Amino acid sequence: MMACLLEAPLRISVLSEVTATSRHYVDRLFDPDPQNVLQGVIDMKNAVIGNNRQKANLIVLGAVPRLLYLLQQSSSSLELRTECAVVLGSLAMGTENNIKSLVDCHIIPALLQGLLCSDLIFIEACLRCLRTVFISPVTPVQLLYTDPTVIPHLMSLLSLSQHTQEYITQIFAHCCKTPEHQTVLFNHGAIQNIAPLLISPSYKVRMQALKCFSVLAYENAQVSMTLVNVLVDGEQLSQVFVRMMQRDKPIEMQLTAAKCLTYMCRAGAIRTDDNCIVLKTLPCLVRMCSKERLLEERVEGAETLAYLMEPDIELQRIASVTDHLVSMLADYFKYPSSVSAITDIKRLDHDLKHAHELRQAAFKLYASLGSNDEDIRKKITETENMMDRIVSGLSESSIKVRLAAVRCLHSLSRSVQQLRTSFHDHAVWKPLMKLLQNAPDEVLVMASSTLCNLLLEFSPSKEPILESGVIELLCSLTQSDSPALRVNGIWALMNMAFQADQKVKVEIVQALGTEQLFRLLSDPDTNVLMKTLGLLRNLLSTRPHTDMSSHGKQIMQAVTLILEGEHSIEVKEQTLCILANIADGNTAKELIMTNDDMLQKIKYYMGHSNVKLQLAATFCISNLIWNEEDGSQERQDKLREMGFVDILHKLTQASDPNLCDRAKKAMQQYLA
Amino acid sequence: MDSVELCGPAVPDFSTHPGLAAGVAVLQLAASRYLALSEQEKELNQRLRSLYPAVSDQETPLPRSWSPKDKFSYIGLSQNNLRVHYKGHGKTPKDAASVRATHSIPAACGVYYFEVKIISKGRDGYMGIGLSAQGVNMNRLPGWDKHSYGYHGDDGHSFCSSGTGQPYGPTFTTGDVIGCCVNLINNTCFYTKNGHSLGIAFTDLPPNLYPTVGLQTPGEVVDANFGQHPFVFDIEDYMREWRTKIQAQIDCFPIGEREGEWQAMIQKMVASYLVHHSYCATAEAFAKSTDQAVHEELASIKNRQKIQKLVLSGRMGEAIETTQQLYPSLLERNSDLLFMLKVRQFIEMVNGTDSEVRCLGGRSPKSQDSYPGSPRLFNSPVHKASNVITDHLCFPLFPGFDSNYCNGVSSSKGHTSAHSHKSCPPTIPSPEPGVLNGSRGQQTNVSAEVEMEVDHFSNGVSESSSNGFLNGSSTHGIDLEECDADMEVDSAQSKRQLCGGSQAAIERMIQFGRELQSMSEHLRRERGKNSANKKMLKDAFSLLAYSDPWNSPVGYQLDSIQREPVCSTLNSAILETHNLPKQPPLALAVGQAAQCLSLMARTGSGSCAFASVDDYLH
């Protein structure tokens, strides 16, 4: 404290001194003699280089508006305008606050205006400054697109010099963030204009051009399809990218080229079994995951690789045996390492900063690797401490890690084997349930989807999950605005109801409520509807549960509603199956038998053109006329009167063997 | 190719006779097979050369096939010893059998790679692919014993000198191509399956391992590819990565800590090089601009320059005389050097260039095959460097290494060990004896063409156009293959005659030869036998045994390029008398670097593969 007190006055004096000199620089900008102004700007340029405090001072003292004024004045000499642009570029190199101040002073339109000048040196200075401003995260990307003449003008400047090429491509690479941006750039000929730059003699230009293509092609089929047909100096673009992935090329270039090919492949422009993917891109990305690479590169490599092979089992199989990828990824969890904590603070800081990113990237890649192949899933769960890592990942503070961990868990939960063993051993349901209590939608979607699998009948986790009060939670999911969450909620309930005991079923029905059930049955999402019907079916299946005294009427209403509505064959089939289940119940039968309208519908579907519907309807009738049950005689008589026997008789001649068989069995009930 | 040409004309003769048609077909088949074989052989050579440029095939031959001598009896070989099949009972692991390649993997490969295709997995597919040292039991699969390493197809495990494997990669079976890559820089090994790298399998590998495969059950058949065909895995790409790594290591190697030290040292090296080769004016200018002292008087440099000019223009008599005048005791003390100079003089007499025969022939001093006026050493830096390397390096550093691969002339006094006429450091593309003997035209063309232009320029007169030899070689300078045949015709037409065609000169030459003979005998009496001297003299005299010495097997001696080592040896001897280094430090450094690389190759440091000295000499 003492030292601070003593030092304070000294600091103030130094600061005031600095401010005084800074003021002097600003004052000179207002000198009436243009020659003095020019010299002032040049001196200012030399004073600010590498001096962040000086930059901040000048900005505070209002140098920026004056510099911009001088830059825009047509009366200013070209030399002065150029020097102004250079100083502004230098100011932009400082802190993020500097950039904010510059943007607030409307530097962007001023500089873009400057690009209309014919002097190359001036244009380059403006572009350099624009580049620095645009690559900052604090600059709104949209500012590049507000004036529709800007992009075509920038395209036309690409031919001027290596510098314009470097700056413009760098701006594009940073400012292309949405499909709309991609379309704007694409429509203004970005591909034709930038492709030749891939073989520029300047490494920087090549690199920035490559980055442009990676952002342009990302999830963009139009761009990707165009790219595959582009020739650069007589060579296919994909081959140019392959050359850029050679192992003696800088890592940055290899990685970005691999991204381009990955995006083109995912957009459907390159087949997944193309050699440039299988033998070049995939191994290159695996190499990016190796311990020798920088942490950032390892993150990007793993994420890109995960994205590349997500939809393709063959790529997943190849990657799983390439360079020990599965165990290589285990290393991603070892940051910060115990060594870095002891040895130096800087390294620890660096490691800490990347630790989350590394973990989430590894989870993503594991998720992608294990999404289809049982052997790979086994290999992953057998990796050192893998399940523990997922479990702790589920409760990490970083949302990105939690999401990736649950994705990984979801991917592994597709394995019957794993559900029965490692999932149960590590009680993964506990953190999963916790995660479901309070999480953003994207996490919820994954977590609930995983829960669906954990609730499958053969899963040993099903019991403890039930006991943890999951039903309420799932019912609340069915009320979500997100269709994906509604599907998962109802899906989980459906799985839960499968072969469940009466107690659980009653609980589900009570928790869900008939109102919600009807709402789900009229859900615009077919998936939701199907799963709800599935739930109903599961609730009604097995005889003792079918007689649902309390909601019989409502269910019948629902069934009528759907059979009358415009629905797909699958939905109607499922509904008829429910009806068949009802027809199997002792008391529930009467709900159908007393409903002539419903019987007419069944009749209609028995004569439907779709075999599946015919079969389901026949099932229903067959259940109603089944001999050994009370009142079967009356039902048989009634249905005969309604003409069902004739229909059944006809169906015994059906070409479909199942239908024919079912009709014959039904006929036998009459004969017996 | 030869056999095809033989078959060619035979075909029409046979085919006229119907009964022999079948025989013709067989012959044609044999010819085409031979052709295919030699094509494969060609491809193999080409691929091995491009993959492993640092490997000297004489010192350390590369594996090209499986060895019929180094295998267990249950192994059968076919298809030029590239196909391996199992022919034992295959009942127990005791029936396992292996075969090694003909040679071990040379360290100078840097990165070595071979592939094995599984033609059939046989009964159980117990196949092992890997490496083993010489002498490891062949009644086993690779990997089971000490100094043996393998990757097994049935379980995908790797076996590192142990009977129990470690989980490593996927299993492999019929149709798969398994590759094995040995990194001799970090002594690791990884495998590939169908072009995909499976990751490191072994570390800390010992040197001198042989490619090895082992089979264990009937029906197992595998084919090896040691470079006969393109590899499935992109090994070149992997090698590129390591070349870049090694070169980055060299580029980043820390040099002198103190500022300016490095630059000063380089300037010194350049200056001393200029002085050594008597580039007076350049040396002076360079020394001035870099603020250095020249450690030899200008006059002395000029003297050496004068002598060198004489030697290089073939005027040996004058060269010897001038040397004796300027450095009176030098040749007296150094009789082997004198003998060498005189032998060269004799050769130049045969050539008709030596001053003594020239006067007799009545020709202008420059009329016949004159070497350019000033020392031309720098027009052929590669030659120069190679001379220097052997002259200098071998003696102080590696006494066992012989120097005269260059031209058969022992260039230093006393150290006469002419035993390894063929040895040639791998990185130096300088004349091997075979090349010199075989295609003289090629060697001469290179220098002759360059020199000629300079000659024209400096003289302003195209005297040398009268020179048949030079004419001949320069007209056919580019087409080297045809050059040999055409040149003979040309040179026969030209007026290249013994001793320039003068009878008096021939007599003088013969007399000089006798003097040389007696000098040789005198030397032998005084100093004992000297095989190098003896050979030198014998080779020189052999020239007279041919009617056209220029086109004789010993004709290479007449090439002006052969003056260079003589000139260099004499120059070095003079410098030594002034207590100056007999080789310039620059050449010494280059030579040391090259020698260092070959030493690395011999001691198993694989990084030498990616650090060729030539890459750094632009």
Side-chain angles (χ1 to χ4, degrees):
Chain A
M1 276 308 273
M2 282 302 283
C4 283
L5 278 174
L6 281 172
E7 262 178 26
L10 192 71
R11 279 216 183 132
I12 288 163
S13 77
V14 169
L15 196 65
S16 64
E17 217 171 280
V18 170
T19 316
T21 54
S22 304
R23 169 146 308 282
H24 177 63
Y25 285 120
V26 179
D27 288 345
R28 287 172 70 191
L29 299 180
F30 292 88
D31 197 292
D33 180 357
Q35 208 47 48
N36 286 347
V37 175
L38 176 63
Q39 195 52 51
V41 175
I42 291 171
D43 289 346
M44 188 187 273
K45 175 177 76 178
N46 294 333
V48 296
I49 290 174
N51 186 340
N52 268 350
R53 181 178 297 176
Q54 184 72 273
K55 287 175 189 173
N57 282 336
L58 289 174
I59 289 171
V60 168
L61 293 169
V64 177
R66 182 64 186 168
L67 285 167
L68 282 173
Y69 172 81
L70 293 170
L71 181 137
Q72 286 172 292
Q73 259 337 85
S74 50
S75 57
S76 303
S77 72
L78 207 52
E79 196 184 359
L80 175 61
R81 297 172 73 191
T82 306
E83 291 296 343
C84 285
V86 172
V87 174
L88 288 165
S90 194
L91 294 177
M93 291 282 200
T95 63
E96 286 187 354
N97 276 331
N98 291 4
I99 300 266
K100 273 185 198 145
S101 312
L102 291 172
V103 173
D104 289 345
C105 293
H106 306 292
I107 188 175
I108 292 175
L111 290 170
L112 289 174
Q113 191 64 30
L115 297 181
L116 297 172
C117 173
S118 60
D119 183 74
L120 180 60
I121 306 295
F122 178 60
I123 288 175
E124 285 182 350
C126 288
L127 279 174
R128 192 182 304 121
C129 184
L130 275 170
R131 183 270 317 259
T132 314
V133 173
F134 270 121
I135 64 172
S136 162
V138 300
T139 310
V141 171
Q142 202 49 42
L143 292 175
L144 184 67
Y145 303 95
T146 35
D147 178 352
T149 64
V150 167
I151 301 293
H153 186 58
L154 287 174
M155 293 289 175
S156 72
L157 295 178
L158 275 173
S159 57
L160 291 189
S161 73
Q162 278 185 14
H163 282 130
T164 64
Q165 288 166 359
E166 181 195 335
Y167 303 143
I168 293 171
T169 46
Q170 201 175 352
I171 291 170
F172 286 165
H174 270 88
C175 295
C176 182
K177 305 249 189 226
T178 67
E180 292 76 41
H181 297 161
Q182 290 172 336
T183 307
V184 171
L185 292 172
F186 176 80
N187 288 341
H188 285 105
I191 293 177
Q192 293 73 15
N193 284 310
I194 299 173
L197 307 185
L198 287 172
I199 51 168
S200 160
S202 153
Y203 171 76
K204 283 180 178 172
V205 172
R206 285 202 305 276
M207 198 55 229
Q208 293 305 334
L210 186 60
K211 281 187 178 169
C212 272
F213 284 124
S214 85
V215 293
L216 280 169
Y218 181 66
E219 293 193 329
N220 192 318
Q222 188 185 31
V223 170
S224 297
M225 290 296 188
T226 312
L227 285 180
V228 279
N229 294 317
V230 169
L231 293 181
V232 180
D233 204 20
E235 197 179 10
Q236 278 194 335
L237 202 60
S238 55
Q239 286 313 303
V240 176
F241 291 150
V242 165
R243 223 162 359 89
M244 288 174 147
M245 286 192 297
Q246 281 181 358
R247 297 170 79 147
D248 53 348
K249 295 286 185 297
I251 297 300
E252 183 192 29
M253 181 172 267
Q254 290 186 41
L255 183 53
T256 316
K259 275 184 171 178
C260 288
L261 288 165
T262 296
Y263 298 158
M264 287 163 73
C265 178
R266 281 303 304 268
I270 303 177
R271 289 168 53 104
T272 50
D273 59 358
D274 192 301
N275 270 350
C276 78
I277 297 295
V278 182
L279 289 175
K280 297 292 172 187
T281 310
L282 183 136
C284 173
L285 288 170
V286 173
R287 287 200 302 277
M288 295 303 137
C289 300
S290 94
K291 223 172 174 172
E292 290 168 47
R293 303 276 71 87
L294 299 175
L295 300 186
E296 295 91 323
E297 293 160 354
R298 293 169 75 182
V299 170
E300 272 194 69
E303 286 181 334
T304 312
L305 182 57
Y307 182 62
L308 172 69
M309 65 190 180
E310 207 172 17
D312 190 279
I313 186 169
E314 203 42 49
L315 291 181
Q316 290 158 9
R317 285 191 179 135
I318 292 169
S320 75
V321 298
T322 300
D323 286 340
H324 306 302
L325 177 66
V326 174
S327 53
M328 187 151 71
L329 282 176
D331 192 70
Y332 277 46
F333 295 93
K334 295 176 181 162
Y335 293 90
S337 68
S338 46
V339 187
S340 64
I342 305 163
T343 48
D344 66 296
I345 288 293
K346 243 188 188 167
R347 165 110 186 261
L348 176 65
D349 189 48
H350 180 251
D351 283 5
L352 272 174
K353 223 163 68 192
H354 291 93
H356 297 303
E357 286 292 306
L358 281 166
R359 280 200 291 275
Q360 63 88 23
F363 280 137
K364 266 186 204 163
L365 188 43
Y366 276 133
S368 189
L369 271 171
S371 55
N372 294 106
D373 187 293
E374 186 64 31
D375 288 340
I376 302 177
R377 288 187 198 119
K378 185 160 178 282
K379 209 166 160 183
I380 292 172
T381 41
E382 280 167 1
T383 311
E384 49 168 319
N385 304 327
M386 192 56 212
M387 291 313 287
D388 289 336
R389 279 179 180 138
I390 295 177
V391 167
S392 60
L394 290 174
S395 45
E396 264 202 45
S397 59
S398 156
I399 180 119
K400 240 178 149 180
V401 178
R402 267 185 291 160
L403 178 58
V406 74
R407 267 174 73 172
C408 181
L409 192 66
H410 177 247
S411 172
L412 298 176
S413 75
R414 290 181 187 153
S415 153
V416 176
Q417 167 85 16
Q418 298 311 322
L419 282 176
R420 283 191 172 140
T421 55
S422 55
F423 273 53
H424 188 60
D425 298 343
H426 289 85
V428 293
W429 64 272
K430 281 187 191 164
L432 192 65
M433 285 300 291
K434 223 179 116 199
L435 195 63
L436 279 162
Q437 304 300 329
N438 184 24
D441 273 8
E442 47 178 350
V443 175
L444 276 183
V445 170
M446 271 297 152
S448 52
S449 185
T450 313
L451 196 63
C452 288
N453 291 342
L454 283 167
L455 285 169
L456 286 169
E457 172 266 335
F458 51 80
S459 158
S461 305
K462 185 176 178 177
E463 276 308 307
I465 296 176
L466 277 176
E467 283 156 24
S468 72
V470 73
I471 295 176
E472 283 295 325
L473 184 106
L474 292 175
C475 290
S476 70
L477 284 184
T478 65
Q479 300 180 16
S480 161
D481 290 336
S482 145
L485 280 180
R486 290 201 302 276
V487 171
N488 287 348
I490 198 73
W491 193 341
L493 288 170
M494 179 186 97
N495 284 351
M496 196 187 283
F498 181 75
Q499 293 185 355
D501 51 33
Q502 183 70 9
K503 183 175 151 278
V504 174
K505 287 185 177 176
V506 169
E507 236 181 287
I508 293 173
V509 174
Q510 279 172 353
L512 196 61
T514 32
E515 237 176 274
Q516 176 63 8
L517 196 64
F518 277 103
R519 216 175 290 136
L520 291 170
L521 284 173
S522 50
D523 199 286
D525 189 312
T526 318
N527 253 329
V528 176
L529 178 55
M530 282 297 283
K531 298 299 175 224
T532 313
L533 292 171
L535 170 66
L536 280 177
R537 223 182 132 178
N538 286 347
L539 286 173
L540 295 171
S541 63
T542 65
R543 194 78 69 76
H545 306 151
T546 312
D547 300 312
M548 315 183 67
S549 49
S550 50
H551 351 272
K553 276 220 165 75
Q554 287 93 327
I555 290 175
M556 284 306 286
Q557 264 179 7
V559 168
T560 314
L561 199 77
I562 291 165
L563 287 181
E564 282 175 357
E566 291 276 316
H567 288 290
S568 65
I569 299 290
E570 284 73 29
V571 170
K572 297 211 163 159
E573 185 197 6
Q574 188 79 309
T575 315
L576 287 169
C577 286
I578 292 169
L579 211 55
N581 278 345
I582 295 171
D584 195 32
N586 281 334
T587 53
K589 277 188 174 70
E590 286 314 304
L591 287 170
I592 303 176
M593 286 311 292
T594 54
N595 189 337
D596 280 0
D597 189 36
M598 185 60 78
L599 288 172
Q600 288 301 332
K601 284 200 171 69
I602 295 173
K603 205 168 154 186
Y604 164 75
Y605 284 109
M606 282 175 81
H608 198 272
S609 59
N610 186 289
V611 177
K612 280 181 180 173
L613 297 185
Q614 284 180 297
L615 191 63
T618 311
F619 234 112
C620 200
I621 289 302
S622 149
N623 279 346
L624 288 174
I625 59 178
W626 208 255
N627 264 325
E628 294 127 48
E629 286 161 17
D630 286 346
S632 60
Q633 193 55 53
E634 291 96 74
R635 286 194 294 276
Q636 286 184 2
D637 291 345
K638 175 169 185 184
L639 292 174
R640 188 199 302 271
E641 271 169 42
M642 290 183 73
F644 277 94
V645 177
D646 295 341
I647 301 174
L648 282 174
H649 193 75
K650 238 184 255 168
L651 289 179
T652 54
Q653 313 293 320
S655 56
D656 183 85
N658 281 333
L659 182 58
C660 170
D661 191 46
R662 179 48 53 189
K664 277 179 187 161
K665 272 190 184 147
M667 285 298 286
Q668 278 165 12
Q669 302 301 314
Y670 277 100
L671 299 173
Chain B
M1 285 303 277
D2 282 354
S3 92
V4 176
E5 281 165 22
L6 287 174
C7 282
V11 172
D13 290 345
F14 281 125
S15 58
T16 52
H17 195 296
L20 283 173
V24 174
V26 168
L27 263 178
Q28 279 174 323
L29 190 69
S32 71
R33 269 186 68 181
Y34 181 87
L35 191 67
L37 267 184
S38 64
E39 279 301 311
Q40 194 185 54
E41 191 76 3
K42 229 191 232 168
E43 194 182 336
L44 174 65
N45 286 334
Q46 212 169 354
R47 186 164 292 112
L48 293 182
R49 244 199 322 275
S50 86
L51 283 175
Y52 317 115
V55 173
S56 147
D57 227 18
Q58 282 128 343
E59 263 184 63
T60 50
L62 287 155
R64 286 162 178 264
S65 64
W66 301 114
S67 167
K69 292 173 200 147
D70 198 6
K71 68 176 184 67
F72 193 66
S73 55
Y74 290 172
I75 289 287
L77 296 178
S78 58
Q79 307 206 352
N80 301 309
N81 295 331
L82 289 173
R83 174 162 289 188
V84 185
H85 67 269
Y86 183 78
K87 54 180 190 185
H89 314 291
K91 286 186 181 127
T92 70
K94 282 181 184 162
D95 297 325
S98 289
V99 58
R100 267 187 283 271
T102 47
H103 300 282
S104 68
I105 300 164
C109 291
V111 166
Y112 180 78
Y113 186 70
F114 71 99
E115 280 180 352
V116 172
K117 178 167 183 163
I118 314 304
I119 301 301
S120 166
K121 76 174 195 81
R123 198 184 67 203
D124 298 325
Y126 291 164
M127 303 157 291
I129 292 164
L131 308 158
S132 67
Q134 194 158 45
V136 173
N137 186 357
M138 295 312 257
N139 187 196
R140 311 270 286 163
L141 286 188
W144 286 350
D145 302 284
K146 196 167 159 49
H147 292 316
S148 174
Y149 307 85
Y151 166 35
H152 292 194
D154 56 317
D155 55 6
H157 287 186
S158 64
F159 289 73
C160 178
S161 306
S162 156
T164 44
Q166 298 289 318
Y168 167 68
T171 58
F172 56 85
T173 183
T174 308
D176 285 328
V177 177
I178 302 301
C180 176
C181 176
V182 183
N183 182 324
L184 297 125
I185 299 160
N186 60 14
N187 300 314
T188 60
C189 159
F190 69 86
Y191 288 90
T192 67
K193 181 182 169 182
N194 302 326
H196 292 281
S197 161
L198 304 177
I200 300 280
F202 310 113
T203 56
D204 304 303
L205 290 176
N208 302 318
L209 292 171
Y210 290 71
T212 309
V213 290
L215 305 175
Q216 198 186 300
T217 66
E220 292 170 357
V221 183
V222 301
D223 272 358
N225 175 9
F226 293 108
Q228 282 85 358
H229 308 286
F231 291 120
V232 178
F233 177 71
D234 191 350
I235 188 64
E236 281 100 337
D237 201 27
Y238 180 75
M239 291 173 102
R240 266 195 289 270
E241 181 179 338
W242 277 89
R243 179 171 295 115
T244 314
K245 275 187 197 173
I246 299 298
Q247 286 174 357
Q249 251 178 45
I250 294 171
D251 294 344
C252 300
F253 190 80
I255 46 172
E257 300 263 306
R258 269 171 293 168
E259 211 179 320
E261 204 176 54
W262 181 247
Q263 194 189 10
M265 184 164 76
I266 288 183
Q267 285 172 348
K268 253 189 204 165
M269 284 180 100
V270 173
S272 58
Y273 185 77
L274 294 172
V275 169
H276 182 93
H277 291 299
S278 326
Y279 275 109
C280 324
T282 316
E284 225 182 338
F286 186 80
K288 202 183 264 173
S289 67
T290 56
D291 206 18
Q292 289 183 85
V294 176
H295 297 289
E296 190 183 356
E297 279 175 40
L298 199 61
S300 161
I301 301 177
K302 282 191 172 150
N303 285 339
R304 284 194 292 112
Q305 191 180 34
K306 187 172 166 192
I307 293 167
Q308 287 184 65
K309 269 186 197 171
L310 289 170
V311 174
L312 292 176
S313 56
R315 292 149 72 179
M316 285 307 298
E318 287 169 76
I320 294 170
E321 215 170 284
T322 314
T323 308
Q324 280 163 339
Q325 272 169 20
L326 293 169
Y327 309 99
S329 58
L330 176 69
L331 296 178
E332 267 171 48
R333 278 189 282 111
N334 202 337
S335 44
D336 277 333
L337 177 61
L338 180 61
F339 183 71
M340 183 179 89
L341 296 177
K342 295 233 173 195
V343 172
R344 186 67 215 171
Q345 187 178 1
F346 175 79
I347 295 166
E348 298 296 356
M349 281 179 165
V350 174
N351 209 11
T353 38
D354 190 67
S355 350
E356 284 196 45
V357 296
R358 251 184 207 170
C359 310
L360 297 169
R363 288 174 172 233
S364 83
K366 282 212 158 196
S367 61
Q368 183 141 359
D369 187 20
S370 66
Y371 209 84
S374 63
R376 280 295 147 210
L377 296 167
F378 306 91
N379 281 340
S380 50
V382 178
H383 275 284
K384 194 56 218 156
S386 65
N387 281 343
V388 167
I389 290 153
T390 45
D391 279 0
H392 197 107
L393 256 188
C394 306
F395 295 100
L397 292 177
F398 311 102
F401 193 71
D402 189 72
S403 68
N404 37 1
Y405 74 91
C406 237
N407 46 27
V409 177
S410 173
S411 47
S412 76
K413 333 121 278 182
H415 298 82
T416 48
S417 46
H419 61 270
S420 63
H421 201 71
K422 278 178 191 153
S423 66
C424 177
T427 52
I428 303 155
S430 62
E432 290 172 47
V435 175
L436 273 180
N437 287 331
S439 58
R440 180 183 52 141
Q442 182 183 340
Q443 282 294 328
T444 345
N445 289 347
V446 177
S447 57
E449 273 190 336
V450 178
E451 317 308 350
M452 280 293 292
E453 286 174 55
V454 179
D455 218 17
H456 279 290
F457 180 73
S458 55
N459 289 335
V461 187
S462 56
E463 289 173 319
S464 43
S465 60
S466 66
N467 184 317
F469 177 70
L470 277 180
N471 273 344
S473 57
S474 49
T475 23
H476 300 274
I478 292 149
D479 205 345
L480 295 172
E481 290 300 317
E482 291 171 66
C483 179
D484 266 351
D486 289 350
M487 248 181 62
E488 285 178 36
V489 182
D490 265 18
S491 48
Q493 285 167 347
S494 74
K495 291 181 210 155
R496 196 165 61 187
Q497 291 170 315
L498 201 62
C499 302
S502 144
Q503 190 56 41
I506 293 174
E507 276 166 19
R508 172 68 192 123
M509 181 266 290
I510 288 169
Q511 187 201 340
F512 187 82
R514 288 201 188 101
E515 287 167 26
L516 208 51
Q517 175 73 38
S518 70
M519 183 182 177
S520 164
E521 281 159 16
H522 178 74
L523 272 177
R524 198 178 61 216
R525 274 196 302 278
E526 287 214 333
R527 318 185 37 150
K529 271 191 182 170
N530 184 326
S531 57
N533 281 354
K534 193 177 162 192
K535 182 176 185 321
M536 210 191 315
L537 191 63
K538 198 181 136 208
D539 286 349
F541 284 173
S542 300
L543 287 169
L544 301 183
Y546 298 90
S547 56
D548 182 1
W550 286 270
N551 285 317
S552 72
V554 290
Y556 68 91
Q557 298 175 90
L558 296 165
D559 280 359
S560 53
I561 202 104
Q562 298 299 333
R563 293 166 189 162
E564 287 191 7
V566 177
C567 176
S568 155
T569 311
L570 177 56
N571 189 34
S572 299
I574 295 170
L575 285 165
E576 267 192 315
T577 61
H578 290 243
N579 283 327
L580 288 167
K582 68 173 188 168
Q583 296 300 333
L586 182 62
L588 180 63
V590 170
Q592 274 174 333
Q595 198 61 36
C596 192
L597 286 173
S598 68
L599 190 66
M600 282 170 80
R602 262 172 274 153
T603 55
S605 300
S607 40
C608 65
F610 302 126
S612 152
V613 175
D614 282 345
D615 291 348
Y616 293 88
L617 300 176
H618 301 298

